[in-house]
């Protein structure tokens, strides 16, 4: 049955083609659309009617500027697409021939119903206009089989229109000169417009027209939006200047910085929009409760600049820090659940950052799917892809020439004698020594920080401490970050690595240094937090007794209720969360200042000195010793990444930190752009950026994860302070979620959540996830194995093909030229299958 | 900025946006920059679309000035019979291919044509040595010696020759040199054609990011 149906369908198809062919000879299309079951029985009548349509068709076609052009164009396009002038034509011809054969069958049936011809013409015209969309309902309602024929044609036209649209959409991918593209585009658009307008009738027509209009508007809107988006990207010109001066590697830092700025803007919007602004607008005003008031003891110095600079005084008791927030469940007339919002924003800051980092990593890797294969093409890569087309500065270009030459020479030498170890024992000894020294440095810096943080805790208990003693931690950390990397570089000179490998080691060591410093800092801070937590109980008692004594004190008129104790006088705990937030805030600010001062001293003053003292100096300063500074990409990127890590860690306890960071990134964009253009010189060894791009992203992800850990630890296992912050009075911070579920959601939801939180469910879920990871991993492994096997197969096949070809001799030269024109990547495969 | 009053028509702009990888602003900027190259009396829109700018003027653009392939780039994109001048549309084509959003396929297609110095559809020995000369600059000290050059090019072509001495690296999808060329003595060293070239380029991690010119 099905076969029969199919056969009939083919007939109908053939009929359609027959007509189509007679309308525009010599061309064809591939609308191999199988009619549905309903249609099939009517196919005969349909085939008959098709002839009838012919005159009308022709007339209509004659009226248009280019009769029959759509199909011819389509064929043409196909040919262009394949880019094989000769072959393409022959293939179309072949298909046409096939069709002619089938048409032979169909034409028999066409002849059976000649009398219908004339009267069907007008109907035909109408049907022509019916859109595809309405096909099935109209089919069902229609009595005769005549009309289903036009559906066929309609489908064809629609298909062509779709083809044209596709062509329009992909035109820009064609390597044609603009004039030709314009011509093709105009033709295609004309066609689309002509037939699009003709498609549809009555209600359907209007609907169709509407749809098309909306589609057009949508395309236009998308394009405008895209234009708008690109216009909104800031600093394009600055980055372009840097690109042309320093090549893409230095510019990649600035692009990274800009990206970071965007991410921080989003975080800033989240935190300010959902936490700080609601608190400022709707929360209890300053001075109404103890946590929002400067204590009496600090009051007189609270506005001093030196105090404010340390984020103490009024700044400490402001919405910038955790401690200011009240634990009232809802605030304002909106009944905004601030503690809940605070918690959720804290979580979503991490969620968003994770998502965006992973997304950009994924989009970076998409381009270069095959990492492992790059080793196969070292020479061709050096040849074909080593030039950086963005370079527009002759000095940079010279450097680039030099570096390319060196890399060529190097690779030749490598090729000649890849194993030229002179004194392997000495090298090994030196490398071990260097690593030992560096580990010593790392340990030393870690201990130094621990020591300093401990000492600062003692200082904080003392009354009058000097400026240095107050800021010792930040200063020491910044100094370590400033002087250790050059020290590492000096030590690394011992190792005698290839510069590229050396750079990797250097990056790894700086990363370890920063990470070690950060974590030592955190550990010391954690000690402090625990200390404060243990003191909390006593302070709680003191507070309680103070209030109790105050209200129950004798000698007060019982009839008049006593005015409440002024909030500034209430004794309160140390609020470890705010203390942590302040530490991060100070660290960020001092880090920023040290960076700027380093740039100013190390780059700008050095450049000035070299530039102007060169006239009266005994050696050539510009070429000789100090010379100009190069832009330290890796150091800067790492600094940026760690700064971001601090922001992530601190933003939960200091919501204002992100705002500070946005300012910092903004200023550093301008400042560093200026510094790099004014006082740096292009790199001696210009290396490419994109390769390390994902490396930096990976580091960022790692730092994000590492900064997530301490925050998650404090949220999950430390009790919040009893008298400050949005979670005060709770046992744990995450209790706020449970509270919301219990009070604000219907009971069954609470049950569901309780059920979901059951370990009996979570453990299987985690197991399932592991299994899924395992499964996906094995699938990807097997796929890559299959990939490798296919590659081997192709190779083997090509060997066979070659021997084959050599027999055939010159005749196959033509063949290889054909493949040369083939744009598809599987060109060789095509060739094979052809053979 | 020259002829600030002259703007491209909306329809033309829309078409250009359809046909290139450029945004509206980029097209307008390109037009402005192009007009700056024209003599002042020819700066109306109609004329700027018709007139061609000679190679020397295009090469004086700061974006192209330091590029060793600047002449090749212009020649490849030129549609004039003598291949020595660019119309505005050619200029747009150039910028589109070198723009950030262009697909790697089209970039590598044009890269091939740029490297194909003799326009014969394949990269042969002469093309490759020409390419190396371009990459190493004009200075005496940076130029490679003849033997180095030969070795380099042998290397570049030898990954393409399975069974040659670089077997360790020659695995993977080695590019087939048409062996027929060697055997029939047409070209002993073999050549690289477009599909092979695109195959190599598609493996390169940083081609698409460096094959860029921004106005």
């Amino acid at each position: 049955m099905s076969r029969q149906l199919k056969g009939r369908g083919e007939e109908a198809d053939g009929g359609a083609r027959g007509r189509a062919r007679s309308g525009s000879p010599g061309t064809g299309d591939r609308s191999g659309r199988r009619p549905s079951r309903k249609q099939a029985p009517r196919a005969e009548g349909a085939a008959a009617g098709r002839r009838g349509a012919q005159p009308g068709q022709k007339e209509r076609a004659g009226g248009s500027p280019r009769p029959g052009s759509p199909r011819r164009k389509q064929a043409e396009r196909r040919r262009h697409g394949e880019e094989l002038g000769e072959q393409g034509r022959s293939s179309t011809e072949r298909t046409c021939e096939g069709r002619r054969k089938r048409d032979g069958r169909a034409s028999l049936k066409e002849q059976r119903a000649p009398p219908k011809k004339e009267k069907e013409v007008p109907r035909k015209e109408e049907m022509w206009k019916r859109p595809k969309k309405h096909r099935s309902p109209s089919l069902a309602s229609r009595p005769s089989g005549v009309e289903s024929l036009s559906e066929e044609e309609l489908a064809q036209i629609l298909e062509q229109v779709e083809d044209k649209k596709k062509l329009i959409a992909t035109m820009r991918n064609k390597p044609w000169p603009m004039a030709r593209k314009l011509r093709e585009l105009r033709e295609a658009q004309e066609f689309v417009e002509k037939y699009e307008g003709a498609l549809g009738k009555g209600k359907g027509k209007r609907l169709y027209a509407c749809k098309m209009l909306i589609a057009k508007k949508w395309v236009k809107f998308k394009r405008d939006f895209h234009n708008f988006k690109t216009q909104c990207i800031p600093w394009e010109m600055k980055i372009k200047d840097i690109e042309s001066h320093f090549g893409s590697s230095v510019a990649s830092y600035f692009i990274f910085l800009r990206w970071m700025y965007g991410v921080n803007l989003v975080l800033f919007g989240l935190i300010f929009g959902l936490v700080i602004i609601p608190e400022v607008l709707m929360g209890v005003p300053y001075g109404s409760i103890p946590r929002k008031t400067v204590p009496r003891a600090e009051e007189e110095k609270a506005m001093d600049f030196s105090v404010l600079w340390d984020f103490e005084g009024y700044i400490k008791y402001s919405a910038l820090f955790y401690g200011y927030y009240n634990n009232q469940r809802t605030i304002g007339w909106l009944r905004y659940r601030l503690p809940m919002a605070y918690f959720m924003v804290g979580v979503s800051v991490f969620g968003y950052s994770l998502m965006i980092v992973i997304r950009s990593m994924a989009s970076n890797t998409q381009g270069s799917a095959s990492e492992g294969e790059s080793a196969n093409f070292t020479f061709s890569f050096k040849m074909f892809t080593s030039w950086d087309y963005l370079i527009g500065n002759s000095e940079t270009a010279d450097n680039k020439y030099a570096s390319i030459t060196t890399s060529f020479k190097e690779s030749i030498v490598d090729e000649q004698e890849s194993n030229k170890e002179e004194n392997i024992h000495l090298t090994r000894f030196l490398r071990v020594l260097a690593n030992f020294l560096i580990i010593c440095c790392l340990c030393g810096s870690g201990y130094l920080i621990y020591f300093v943080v401990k000492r600062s805790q003692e200082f904080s208990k003392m009354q009058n401490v000097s400026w240095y003693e107050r800021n010792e931690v930040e200063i020491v950390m910044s100094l370590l970050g400033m002087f250790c990397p050059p020290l590492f570089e000096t030590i690394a000179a011992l190792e005698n690595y290839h510069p590229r490998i050396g750079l990797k080691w250097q990056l790894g060591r700086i990363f370890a240094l920063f990470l070690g410093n950060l974590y030592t800092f955190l550990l010391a801070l954690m000690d402090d937090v625990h200390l404060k937590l243990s003191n909390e109980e006593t302070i709680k008692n003191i507070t309680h007794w103070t209030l109790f004594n105050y209200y129950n004190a004798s000698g007060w008129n019982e009839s008049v209720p006593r005015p409440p104790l002024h909030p500034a006088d209430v004794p309160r705990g140390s609020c470890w969360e705010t203390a942590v937030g302040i530490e991060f805030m100070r660290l960020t600010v001092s880090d920023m200042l040290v960076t700027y001062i380093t740039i100013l001293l190390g780059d700008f003053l050095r450049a000035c000195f070299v530039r102007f003292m060169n006239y009266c100096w005994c050696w050539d300063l510009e070429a000789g010793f100090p010379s100009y500074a190069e832009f330290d990409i890796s150091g800067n990127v790492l600094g940026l990444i760690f700064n971001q890590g601090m922001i992530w860690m601190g933003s939960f306890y200091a919501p204002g930190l992100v705002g500070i960071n946005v300012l910092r990134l903004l200023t550093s964009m301008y400042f560093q752009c200026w510094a790099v253009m004014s006082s740096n010189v292009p790199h001696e060894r210009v290396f490419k950026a994109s390769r390390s791009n994902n490396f930096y992203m990976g580091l960022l992800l790692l730092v994000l994860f590492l900064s997530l850990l301490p925050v998650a630890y404090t949220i999950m296992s430390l009790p919040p302070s009893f008298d400050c912050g949005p979670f005060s009075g709770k046992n744990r911070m995450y209790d706020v979620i449970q509270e919301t579920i219990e009070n604000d959601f219907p009971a069954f939801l609470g049950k569901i959540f309780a059920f979901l939180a059951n370990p009996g469910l979570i453990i299987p879920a985690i197991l399932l996830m592991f299994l899924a990871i395992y499964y996906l991993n094995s699938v990807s492994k097997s796929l890559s194995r299959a990939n490798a096997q296919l590659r081997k197969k192709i190779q083997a096949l090509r060997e066979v093909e070659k021997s084959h070809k050599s027999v055939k001799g010159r005749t196959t030269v033509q063949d290889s030229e054909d493949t040369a024109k083939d744009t598809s990547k599987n060109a060789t495969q095509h060739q094979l299958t052809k053979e | 900025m020259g002829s600030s009053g002259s703007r491209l028509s909306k329809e033309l702009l829309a078409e250009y946006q359809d046909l290139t990888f450029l945004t509206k602003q980029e097209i307008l900027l390109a037009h402005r920059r192009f007009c700056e190259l024209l003599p002042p009396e020819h700066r109306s829109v109609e004329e700027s679309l018709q007139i061609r700018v000679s190679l020397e003027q295009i090469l004086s653009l700061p974006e192209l000035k330091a590029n060793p392939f600047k002449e090749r780039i212009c020649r490849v994109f030129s549609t004039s019979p003598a291949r020595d001048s660019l119309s505005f549309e050619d200029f747009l084509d150039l910028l589109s291919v070198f723009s950030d959003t262009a697909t790697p396929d089209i970039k590598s297609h044009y890269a091939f044509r740029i490297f194909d110095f003799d326009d014969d559809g394949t990269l042969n020995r002469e093309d490759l040595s020409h390419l190396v000369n371009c990459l190493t600059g004009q200075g005496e000290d940076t130029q490679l010696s003849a033997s180095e050059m030969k070795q380099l090019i042998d290397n570049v072509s030898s990954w393409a020759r399975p069974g040659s001495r670089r077997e360790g690296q020659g695995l993977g999808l080695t590019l087939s040199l048409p062996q027929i060329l060697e055997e029939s003595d047409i070209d002993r060293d073999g050549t690289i054609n477009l599909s092979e070239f695109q195959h190599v380029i598609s493996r390169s991690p940083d081609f698409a990011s460096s094959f860029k010119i921004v106005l």
Side-chain angles (χ1 to χ4, degrees), chain B residues 143-198:
Chain B
Q143 290 279 354
L144 295 182
S145 68
S147 67
E148 280 173 329
M149 174 87 81
K150 181 174 180 309
Q151 199 176 2
L152 192 64
I153 291 170
D154 278 347
N155 275 326
V156 169
S157 351
S158 74
W159 41 248
R161 207 179 304 135
S164 69
R165 55 207 159 76
R166 288 165 54 82
E167 279 160 3
Q169 297 194 359
L171 293 178
L173 224 174
T174 48
L175 300 178
S176 92
L177 283 190
Q179 211 180 15
I180 176 72
L181 296 177
E182 284 187 275
E183 287 178 3
S184 55
D185 264 328
I186 294 171
D187 185 350
R188 280 218 165 271
D189 317 296
T191 57
I192 299 158
N193 63 31
L194 175 61
S195 61
E196 290 166 345
F197 181 78
Q198 286 188 324

Side-chain angles (χ1 to χ4, degrees), chain B residues 124-140:
Chain B
N124 50 29
R125 266 192 101 77
E126 285 74 43
D127 289 329
L128 291 182
S129 58
H130 206 137
L131 173 60
V132 173
N133 276 339
C134 275
L135 280 177
T136 50
Q138 267 71 50
E140 279 300 308

Side-chain angles (χ1 to χ4, degrees), chain A residues 560-576:
Chain A
V560 185
R562 199 164 176 183
L565 184 63
H566 190 271
D569 295 326
V570 178
R572 62 187 85 167
S574 44
C575 198
W576 61 269

Side-chain angles (χ1 to χ4, degrees), chain A residues 76-339:
Chain A
E76 223 172 64
R77 185 186 57 77
R78 210 181 300 138
R79 214 164 60 224
H80 295 322
E82 289 172 32
E83 286 259 311
L84 299 169
E86 227 14 68
Q87 239 176 338
R89 192 169 324 187
S90 71
S91 76
T92 26
E93 269 165 21
R94 226 179 295 141
T95 48
C96 281
E97 251 164 25
R99 248 168 243 150
R100 248 169 253 149
K101 267 185 222 155
R102 262 176 281 151
D103 292 347
R105 260 185 299 160
S107 61
L108 280 178
K109 276 157 192 147
E110 283 171 34
Q111 284 164 7
R112 265 191 230 161
K116 276 188 183 175
K117 236 188 209 172
E118 304 306 319
K119 80 181 175 201
E120 271 164 18
V121 175
R123 282 203 101 149
K124 178 77 202 46
E125 279 292 328
E126 284 170 12
M127 288 320 303
W128 185 258
K129 293 170 182 169
R130 200 169 287 262
K132 187 183 186 179
K133 229 184 109 198
H134 296 268
R135 182 175 184 161
S136 33
S138 59
L139 246 179
S141 63
R142 238 170 287 145
S144 76
V146 182
E147 297 171 84
S148 72
L149 117 96
S150 57
E151 299 294 331
E152 288 283 330
E153 273 169 352
L154 205 60
Q156 281 179 16
I157 293 289
L158 259 171
E159 200 172 314
Q160 285 178 10
V161 168
E162 289 303 312
D163 272 0
K164 290 285 168 199
K165 279 185 182 164
K166 224 180 272 168
L167 175 66
I168 292 174
T170 58
M171 187 87 83
R172 55 166 86 166
N173 289 325
K174 305 261 190 287
W176 300 336
M178 180 66 86
R180 178 163 164 208
K181 276 196 283 188
L182 262 183
R183 203 177 60 232
E184 299 265 344
L185 177 80
R186 281 179 187 150
E187 277 176 13
Q189 272 176 345
E190 203 177 300
F191 178 84
V192 167
E193 249 158 57
K194 198 170 101 199
Y195 287 100
E196 227 169 39
L199 293 169
K201 179 189 120 186
K203 220 180 187 180
K205 182 173 181 175
R206 207 176 303 144
L207 204 88
Y208 190 79
C210 210
K211 222 175 82 183
M212 285 303 133
L213 198 73
I214 288 174
K216 245 179 238 167
K217 289 269 179 221
W218 174 240
V219 168
K220 193 172 165 348
F221 171 76
K222 265 204 302 203
R223 182 191 293 153
D224 284 347
F225 185 69
H226 179 70
N227 284 344
F228 176 71
K229 244 182 8 194
T230 48
Q231 214 169 17
C232 281
I233 296 175
W235 306 311
E236 271 296 313
M237 288 322 282
K238 270 184 190 305
I239 289 176
K240 194 213 132 193
D241 275 352
I242 291 170
E243 263 174 346
S244 84
H245 257 86
F246 294 91
S248 56
S249 55
V250 174
S252 77
Y253 166 74
F254 287 94
I255 291 171
F256 188 60
L257 180 63
R258 184 174 64 179
W259 182 84
M260 208 63 120
Y261 179 70
V263 172
N264 274 287
L265 267 189
V266 173
L267 297 185
F268 176 76
L270 256 178
I271 291 178
F272 263 67
L274 294 177
V275 173
I276 295 187
I277 291 182
E279 168 67 32
V280 169
L281 289 182
M282 297 186 286
V284 200
Y286 171 84
S288 52
I289 47 174
R291 71 185 69 181
K292 296 193 177 189
T293 322
V294 178
R296 195 68 79 194
E298 299 172 24
E299 221 166 36
E300 57 193 282
K301 282 201 285 182
M303 210 50 203
D304 291 1
F305 180 75
S306 65
V307 174
L308 290 182
W309 183 245
D310 289 338
F311 296 102
E312 297 281 343
Y314 282 109
I315 291 187
K316 186 178 174 185
Y317 299 96
S318 73
L320 294 184
F321 288 104
Y322 171 94
Y324 182 77
Y325 294 84
N326 197 1
N327 63 346
Q328 215 180 343
R329 273 200 65 228
T330 57
I331 57 168
W333 53 273
L334 278 176
R335 305 187 58 72
Y336 189 74
R337 287 172 175 74
L338 190 74

Side-chain angles (χ1 to χ4, degrees), chain A residues 528-776:
Chain A
D528 189 34
V529 167
H530 281 294
L531 195 75
K532 279 184 175 146
L533 274 175
S534 61
N535 287 340
E536 206 162 57
E537 207 47 45
T538 49
I539 296 174
K540 215 172 178 174
N541 280 338
I542 293 170
T543 319
H544 182 76
W545 280 110
T546 317
L547 290 178
F548 184 79
N549 287 339
Y550 177 74
Y551 287 113
N552 294 332
S554 54
W556 186 266
N557 191 353
E558 290 295 321
S559 58
V560 185
R562 199 164 176 183
L565 184 63
H566 190 271
D569 295 326
V570 178
R572 62 187 85 167
S574 44
C575 198
W576 61 269
E577 291 96 337
T578 302
V580 171
I582 287 178
E583 283 299 330
F584 278 109
M585 203 77 128
R586 271 149 72 169
L587 210 56
T588 307
V589 170
S590 72
D591 186 44
M592 171 171 82
L593 291 180
V594 168
T595 313
Y596 290 170
I597 290 169
T598 322
I599 291 173
L600 216 55
L601 289 180
D603 289 353
F604 184 65
L605 281 189
R606 179 169 154 192
C608 285
F609 175 77
V610 169
R611 176 81 183 75
F612 295 111
M613 294 303 279
N614 204 22
Y615 301 117
C616 48
W617 206 262
C618 31
W619 69 81
D620 189 5
L621 283 173
E622 281 181 346
F625 163 58
S627 89
Y628 297 107
E630 283 180 2
F631 186 76
D632 177 18
I633 303 169
S634 52
N636 272 303
V637 169
L638 280 183
L640 197 60
I641 286 174
F642 272 89
N643 170 58
Q644 192 59 37
M646 283 194 281
I647 303 302
W648 277 323
M649 271 193 249
S651 67
F652 190 76
Y653 296 121
L657 190 57
V658 180
I660 301 268
N661 194 40
V662 166
L663 280 182
R664 175 215 157 112
L665 292 177
L666 192 68
T667 47
S668 82
M669 185 80 199
Y670 285 102
F671 188 62
Q672 288 195 306
C673 269
W674 165 78
V676 83
M677 291 301 275
S678 68
S679 49
N680 285 9
V681 287
H683 284 251
E684 291 277 334
R685 306 181 63 91
V686 186
F687 51 91
K688 290 270 188 46
S690 69
R691 199 132 180 78
S692 39
N693 228 348
N694 240 3
F695 179 66
Y696 292 142
M697 279 292 171
L699 286 186
L700 190 66
L701 189 67
L702 183 65
V703 166
L704 174 59
F705 182 71
L706 289 176
S707 56
L708 180 62
L709 282 183
V711 177
Y713 169 75
T714 49
I715 288 178
M716 297 313 273
S717 55
L718 293 183
S721 304
F722 74 99
D723 64 347
C724 70
F727 311 114
S728 57
K730 293 191 178 57
N731 197 19
R732 292 282 183 269
M733 291 180 189
Y734 57 82
D735 283 348
V736 71
I737 295 201
Q738 212 168 359
E739 190 191 67
T740 314
I741 289 170
E742 273 169 14
N743 295 339
D744 299 334
F745 286 106
F748 74 92
L749 264 180
K751 262 183 203 157
I752 291 175
F753 276 114
F755 182 64
L756 285 181
N758 188 359
L761 210 69
I762 289 178
I763 292 173
I766 291 175
L767 276 180
L768 198 70
M769 256 161 20
F770 273 119
L771 281 180
I773 290 172
Y774 175 73
Y775 170 74
L776 289 177

